[in-house]
Structure formats: structure tokens, C-alpha cells
Amino acid sequence: MHVVVFTRSTPDTAAKVEVGADGKVTWGDAATVVNPWDEYALEEGILQAKNGGGKATAISIGGEMHNESLKHSLAMGLDEAVRIEDAALDANDSLAYATAAAAAVKKLGDVNLVICGKESVDVGTDQHIYQMARKLGWTLLAYVSKILEVDYAAGTIKVERLLEQGKQIVTSKLPAVITVMKDINEPRYPSFIGIRKASKAVIPVWSLADLGVTPPAAHTKLVAFKNLPVRDTQVEMIEGTPEEQATQLVDKLLQEKVL
Amino acid sequence: MSAVFVWIETFEGAALPTSWEALGAGALLAEKSGGALTALVFGENADAVAKEAGEHGATQALVCADATLKGFRLEPYAALLTKLVQEHQPRAVLAVATTRGRELLAASAADTDSGMISDVSSLDVQGDGSVVATRSAYAGKVMSDVSIDAAGTQFITIRGRAFRPNEAKAGAQAAVTSVAPVLSEDQIATKVERFEAEVGTVNLTDAAIIVSGGRGIANNPKDAPGDAGDAAVWKAKDGFANVIQPLADVLGAAVGASRAAVDAGYIPYAHQVGQTGKVVSPDLYIACGISGAIQHQAGMRTSKVIVAINKDKEAPIFKMARFGLVGDLYQILPALTAELKKRLGK
């Protein structure tokens, strides 16, 4: 069996992100890290490959900055890593991303399970993942908080999904694309030996020609990034005994009409 | 005149109230195109929900109450939506960016090679029929404007509580058309074994008011019983149950938490607000014992009014709060709950 985990590099979660005069996003000299949601996907990839007696491959779509997340994946213990980059591929368009991602999974040939983090914190989207599942024609199980059973020989999977109103337990068939939530596992830290091995790894890059696909014309376009509207941050401190603070706060909240 | 489709999400046969916000956003598009604002209602109780959608401004409704659609499953819902999109070539398909709305619209947009923008907080229709939508990016630290062309159907999911809902008008009616399902039960691989509902809790993403607790909840003055195991965990759980929850109850509020509180085991992950949890946008957010790390801010910064209660007056949360109270939450919150009971007449 073969598990694929999609990952990408994102600015450090504590970084101050701003929009420059050119409309582009900058995060100063803050480091890039593996997308925080992907850590759970990578850990689950390692666990599933081990349980199924198979291997795990990490894939990133985009420029060289994403080597960072792929090296992290190898250092954690995934077996292989591939990056997909092509000047004709606009990975910001979810259909283009999904088309390339599905082609890469097909090119690997023997994949039973694709695991993704719930979303990418940079672009803040998840639709490219669901669209990859549709382009593959595979089962999609999103928001998975637990894999309860998986039988690669029989091609069945049973998971717990975390939805707004509670937990849903479902069974379905493999191959499948799943997205995982934070609850699913405790991601490991890369080992010293893992980091050393990963630092020497040469990561192959596949082009659209290698994948043999042409993405459909993009219907969406990123127009510009904008800084947030300036928040009226003048905080009004409410002092006194706890009872006085409570009374004054209720007065203020009634004035603000939020109660 | 091509229609504007709005998927009315239901749970156990009742429409989610945020669906009327999707109808409100749909009306913005339908006004410009002159097409029919069309509610899509699938699953149990579909006819009654379609009637309600009519009262909320839908002029047409396509309904399918087939047994295969009882309870949301992506395969039969997406197959049906895709078929309806292919048949009607609507100008746009809208839904709220819930777990189900996100995957349903993305799937159908992929099936039809259509453009999609998810989780938008505002929409602007251009003269050529293209739409520019604003959405949050980089964990809420910046915004982005994304355009979607008018060449095909535009798939858009909207952020809950960002659009004005279409108010109900008694007597308003939608013309209802029944449609047939696409998949039969034996063509659907996914089977729901069971659903474990969270009983009696208010959904965070729909909530008008949220009371959230952080690491400071562990400073409970009560003594943990000897057999409690980890005393800090016991104290925090007791605080969530007996100090945070009563305040939430009197306000009709949902209970949230910081990542620190979730990771320490004080409260389940489903309550986490922030970068690896939920993004919320209530009218009132009361942060109790939360320092306000940038990752937490990512999940709640668009709240209308933020109240910070913390014993550390240097906590970053005060920098984004409208009102700040320095003190012990174990003294302030019970006083606040009592005062609210008195003033709100509960």
C-alpha cells in the first residue's frame, strides 16, 4: 500500500504578515514552516504506512520555498518527496491545483490513501483538496478526527468526522482522500538523524509534461491582498471591585447593543 | 435569465439559520442578473424547508426528499447538484461555508470545471458579470480580493454572519419543483453508522455571543479532590462547567477556548478558537484568562465587541479589546453572571 500526503510551506504562525505597496504579502525575515494542519496529516501518513506495511510519499505543489515542508516531511519519516512546479501552473486556482495533484497521485500508480491537513493557513482554503478527490473519482472524507478501521486488502475505511453538530461515524471504500483535524494524533518532532538525512535529500521536480496534463482555464484570479481595516483598538479599562466592574461592563454592553 | 442557486443546508430536517444569509447574498447576485433566486433543498422535510425558503425570498425551489438524501452525504448530494447545474446553467451557486457547504460546492465546481471562491465576507458584482469577493488570508492577518469570471457558473461559499439574512415575509412563496435523485443507495459507498450529537451546546460558528476560556481557567480557588489525578485539569474543567458555562447560559452564548486550554486537556478540541481551530465572528466575544496569542487572534479578530478579562494587565488581548477588566476571573465572572441575570430579567 502507498499513502500520499500533500503539504506546503507557510509563514511561521507567529509571523507578522503585511501587504506591501506592491500588493504582495510579506512576512519580513520570519521563517517558513510546514503548514500547521499538515503536521497531523504527515504524522498520520507515517502511522498508516507503518500499519499497512507500505510507504508514504509527500507532495508539494509550488516553488522552491516548498522544499522546506518536503524536507520536514522526510525528516519526520516519510519515505519519499516530490515537488510539482511548472510556469504554466497557477496553483492559486483550485481547479488547476486539483488537476495537477490528481495526475501526480495517478502517476505514482499504487496509492490507496491521500491524506491532507484540513486547510492551508496561508491561502486559507480547502476546496483544492475536495476537487482533487473529485478529479480522481475517489471517496472524499473530510474533517476526520479518527481513523477507526482501515482494511487495504478489502478496500474499506471507517472514520470519525468532526462536524458542527457533533461526531459522525462513517464507513466507505478505498481509495480515498481524507482531510484530518488536529485531534487525530500527536505529531512527532523530526529526529536528529532524520534531519541530517533530509538535508542531503535531492527532491525531484515534476512538470506538467511529466504529469501529462493541461489544467483547465482558470476562472478565478487573485486581484490583490489588502491590509485589515484599522481596528478601533482604544481599549477602555473598567476598574473597581469585581461587582463594580460587572455592573459597569453590563452598562457598556447594553449601550453597544450586543446583549 | 439564468438563476442563482442557493443551497439551503438542513440538519435533521431543519434549515440552518445561516442559510437565510446565503439567500441574502444570493439576492445581491439575482438582483443584478434578473434571474430567479432558487433554493435547493435536499433531504428529509425538504418541502417544509422549501416553503420557509420562499418566505425568506426564494422565488423558486428545487426539492428532492428522496431517502438517499436523508442526512448529508457528499456522493448523492454532489451528484444531484452537478446534474442540476448542468441542466439549468445557473449564473451562480451559493452556500454557507460550513463543513458540508464547503465540500459540496467544491465537488460540484470540480465536476463542472467551474470557478469557485470559498468563505467570502463580501461580494461585488462587476459590470461584465464577474464577481470580486473579499476573503481572509494568512490566518486572518490580511484580506484578499479574488475575482471570478462570468464565463461559467460561479460557485461561492459565504462566511457565516458576514451577510445580512433575508428576513421572512409571511405569505411569500417559492414555486416548488420536485427533482429526482441521481444516485441510488447501492451506488453510494459511504454509509453513516451513527451520529453523536453534542447535546445542548450552542454552535460556535453561528453564535452571536461567545464566552471563551484560556489557561487562566486553571487558577480555580477550589481545591481539587484527592483522587482527581491532575489537579490543574480538574480545576479548569470545574471552572468551565461552573463559572464559564453559567455565564454562557445566561447570555445564550457558545463556549470557546484557546489552544492552550485545549492542549492542556481542559476542554475538547471542538471548542478551540484560533488558527488550528474555528474562526468565529460574533457580536460579542468575552475572552476569560486568555493572553491573546497571535494564533488565537486569527480566530476571533473580526468579533464586533471584544471584552478581555485577565489578571495580567500586560496581556496582548487587551490591545485588541474594546473593554478590558484586570482581575481574577473567578471573582469577576460570577459577579457578571449575577448582574446579567438581574438586568436581563432571567
Side-chain angles (χ1 to χ4, degrees), chain B residues 272-322:
Chain B
Q272 185 181 320
V273 171
Q275 187 155 260
T276 47
K278 295 196 167 103
V279 176
V280 299
S281 191
D283 294 335
L284 174 60
Y285 189 92
I286 305 180
C288 310
I290 292 178
S291 65
I294 193 161
Q295 293 89 344
H296 187 72
Q297 294 182 15
M300 44 67 82
R301 69 190 327 150
T302 56
S303 306
K304 211 162 117 194
V305 173
I306 296 167
V307 174
I309 301 173
N310 204 298
K311 67 176 167 47
D312 173 12
K313 68 178 190 331
E314 304 297 332
I317 191 80
F318 287 118
K319 292 211 170 65
M320 62 185 317
R322 176 78 184 82

Side-chain angles (χ1 to χ4, degrees), chain B residues 3-4 9 15 18 45 117 121 134 162 170 206 242 251 253 267 281 287 335:
Chain B
V4 172
E9 183 173 348
T18 43
N45 216 16
I117 310 177
S121 51
T134 302
D206 294 347
N242 297 315
L251 289 167
I267 185 164
S281 191

Side-chain angles (χ1 to χ4, degrees), chain A residues 8-9 60-70 83 122:
Chain A
R8 59 190 285 117
S9 305
S60 237
I61 300 184
E64 273 179 21
M65 76 174 264
H66 298 290
N67 279 346
E68 174 87 33
S69 63
L70 292 173
R83 187 163 62 81
D122 51 354

Side-chain angles (χ1 to χ4, degrees), chain A residues 11-19 25 27 36-37 40 93-95 99 118-119 121-128 130-132 134-135 139-143 148 158 160-173 181-183 216-229 231-240 242-243 245-247 249-254 256-259, chain B residues 9 11 16 72 74-75 78-79 82 98-100 102-103 106-107 109-111 113-118 132 134-149 151-152 189-198 203 205 209 251 259 262-263 269-270 272 275-277 283-284 294-295 301-307 318-327 331-332 335-336 339-340 343-344:
Chain A
D12 187 280
T13 57
K16 190 172 164 63
V17 178
E18 281 177 317
V19 183
V25 165
W27 50 87
W37 291 99
Y40 306 98
D93 185 74
S94 65
L95 276 180
T99 305
K118 184 186 153 263
E119 64 188 32
V121 297
D122 51 354
V123 284
T125 59
D126 48 3
Q127 68 198 47
H128 56 291
Y130 315 144
Q131 297 190 322
M132 161 176 52
R134 292 304 274 195
K135 291 292 177 197
T139 305
L140 168 65
L141 298 166
Y143 325 110
L148 298 166
K158 178 174 171 178
E160 175 190 279
R161 305 173 64 223
L162 198 57
L163 305 176
E164 285 89 353
Q165 297 84 0
K167 291 170 179 167
Q168 185 193 52
I169 289 89
V170 295
T171 59
S172 198
K173 64 165 201 251
M181 307 288 283
K182 179 184 150 180
D183 240 7
H219 291 288
T220 61
K221 207 175 82 195
L222 179 64
V223 180
F225 284 104
K226 297 188 292 195
N227 282 311
L228 298 177
R231 210 187 157 87
D232 178 16
T233 46
Q234 196 52 47
V235 59
E236 187 178 336
M237 300 306 288
I238 297 175
E239 284 155 10
E243 287 72 22
Q245 284 176 305
T247 309
L249 178 62
V250 175
D251 287 342
K252 304 273 183 202
L253 294 178
L254 287 169
E256 296 272 344
K257 297 190 168 50
V258 288
L259 291 182
Chain B
E9 183 173 348
F11 182 69
L16 300 192
F72 178 88
L74 182 67
E75 294 153 85
T82 295
T98 59
T99 56
R100 299 172 185 91
R102 284 165 178 265
E103 57 178 23
D111 293 353
D113 278 340
S114 306
M116 174 166 175
I117 310 177
S118 53
V132 176
T134 302
R135 57 192 308 280
S136 122
Y138 290 87
K141 291 171 189 169
V142 298
M143 312 286 283
S144 64
D145 280 344
V146 184
S147 71
I148 182 165
D149 66 29
T190 303
K191 311 288 177 194
V192 178
E193 277 202 1
R194 61 179 194 279
F195 196 86
E196 294 169 5
E198 278 213 38
N203 188 347
T205 40
I209 305 179
L251 289 167
R259 177 181 181 150
V262 170
D263 286 357
Y269 167 57
Q272 185 181 320
Q275 187 155 260
T276 47
D283 294 335
L284 174 60
I294 193 161
Q295 293 89 344
R301 69 190 327 150
T302 56
S303 306
K304 211 162 117 194
V305 173
I306 296 167
V307 174
F318 287 118
K319 292 211 170 65
M320 62 185 317
R322 176 78 184 82
F323 302 110
L325 286 72
V326 176
Q331 290 183 19
I332 294 173
L336 185 57
E339 180 69 17
L340 283 163
R343 301 281 286 277
L344 300 177

Side-chain angles (χ1 to χ4, degrees), chain B residues 4 6-10 14-28 30-31 36-41 47-61 163-176:
Chain B
V4 172
V6 177
W7 179 54
I8 307 298
E9 183 173 348
T10 60
L16 300 192
T18 43
S19 293
W20 313 138
E21 296 168 14
L23 271 180
L28 297 175
E31 250 168 47
L37 186 58
T38 306
L40 309 182
V41 190
D47 286 297
V49 173
K51 197 164 170 264
E52 242 186 301
E55 288 168 1
H56 283 90
T59 55
Q60 311 248 349
F163 288 84
R164 188 186 287 276
N166 260 5
E167 299 299 337
K169 282 194 204 93
Q173 277 183 22
V176 176

